[in-house]
């Protein structure tokens, strides 16, 4: 099994820990924003001497599409009910990458407690701290999970594939 496939499998299996289910929030607080979530990740990376992640508008769109899908269809999983892996959302928007990762969470109301939970999980921490990832995107959606209101959070990471410029004649 190649390294990328092993990493993808580890990421898909990562979310069995109950730490990613926080107490339901009546309303997401202002501190649960894309910029706050990205800032928390970059603070942890800076403390470890790792370069900052840059917010990528296309990754934001992919993460938001995944978060919206979970909220609309009422599931919480790396695989959607049709069996599509996280990379489906990248492909759907034409995002090409060398490596990618996904972190999910549900029912957090602030970026600090969310980041703390992710950093306590070896696989989620590995995504946040992965030196080869230079881009990040975040999606946040409100919906229903197991019959209760829920806030779904998706964090996508990538090392984008940037095609070399084609020489013009």
């Amino acid at each position: 099994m190649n390294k990328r496939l092993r990493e993808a499998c580890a990421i898909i299996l990562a979310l069995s820990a109950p730490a990613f289910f926080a107490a339901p929030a009546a309303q997401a607080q202002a501190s649960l924003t894309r910029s706050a979530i990205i800032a928390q990740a970059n603070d942890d990376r800076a403390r470890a001497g790792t370069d900052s992640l840059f917010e990528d508008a296309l990754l934001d769109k992919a993460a938001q599409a995944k978060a919206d899908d979970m909220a609309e269809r009422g599931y919480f999983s790396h695989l959607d009910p049709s069996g599509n892996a996280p990379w489906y959302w990248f492909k759907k928007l034409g995002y090409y990458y060398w490596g990618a990762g996904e972190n999910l969470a549900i029912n957090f109301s602030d970026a600090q407690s969310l980041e703390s939970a992710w950093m306590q999980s070896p696989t989620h921490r590995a995504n946040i701290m992965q030196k080869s990832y230079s881009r990040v995107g975040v999606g946040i959606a409100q919906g229903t999970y197991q019959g209760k209101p829920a806030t779904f959070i998706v964090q996508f990471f990538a090392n984008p594939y940037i095609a070399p410029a084609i020489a013009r004649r």
Side-chain angles (χ1 to χ4, degrees):
M1 189 180 303
N2 71 33
K3 182 179 177 186
R4 196 155 123 187
L5 184 56
R6 278 195 311 270
E7 288 174 354
C9 289
I11 293 164
I12 290 168
L13 297 174
L15 211 43
S16 60
F20 301 97
F21 292 89
Q27 248 183 353
Q29 296 174 1
S31 64
L32 187 67
T33 63
R34 281 186 174 115
S35 59
I37 292 168
I38 293 167
Q40 288 289 318
N42 280 332
D43 287 349
D44 283 329
R45 287 173 68 95
R47 278 192 285 282
T50 303
D51 291 339
S52 291
L53 296 163
F54 295 98
E55 185 173 9
D56 185 304
L58 201 51
L59 279 183
D60 279 341
K61 280 185 165 183
Q64 190 62 55
K66 168 78 181 269
D68 289 343
D69 191 63
M70 288 194 301
E72 290 168 16
R73 295 168 68 184
Y75 71 95
F76 179 63
S77 174
H78 291 286
L79 297 178
D80 73 15
S82 303
N84 293 311
W87 330 125
Y88 165 82
W89 303 99
F90 289 61
K91 184 178 178 182
K92 192 170 179 176
L93 291 172
Y95 193 95
Y96 300 96
Y97 55 91
W98 291 108
E102 176 185 63
N103 284 348
L104 299 178
I106 192 167
N107 289 335
F108 281 84
S109 59
D110 68 276
Q112 187 173 8
S113 63
L114 170 64
E115 180 72 5
S116 177
W118 277 339
M119 291 300 284
Q120 291 174 27
S121 161
T123 52
H124 294 90
R125 179 185 177 90
N127 275 341
I128 293 166
M129 303 306 289
Q130 177 59 254
K131 290 181 181 182
S132 68
Y133 295 156
S134 60
R135 304 290 189 272
V136 64
V138 174
I140 304 165
Q142 302 299 318
T144 304
Y145 181 67
Q146 297 181 341
K148 297 178 183 172
T151 302
F152 297 86
I153 303 122
V154 176
Q155 186 179 49
F156 281 153
F157 302 92
N159 174 10
Y161 173 77
I162 301 170
I166 298 173
R168 297 178 193 224
R169 294 183 184 212

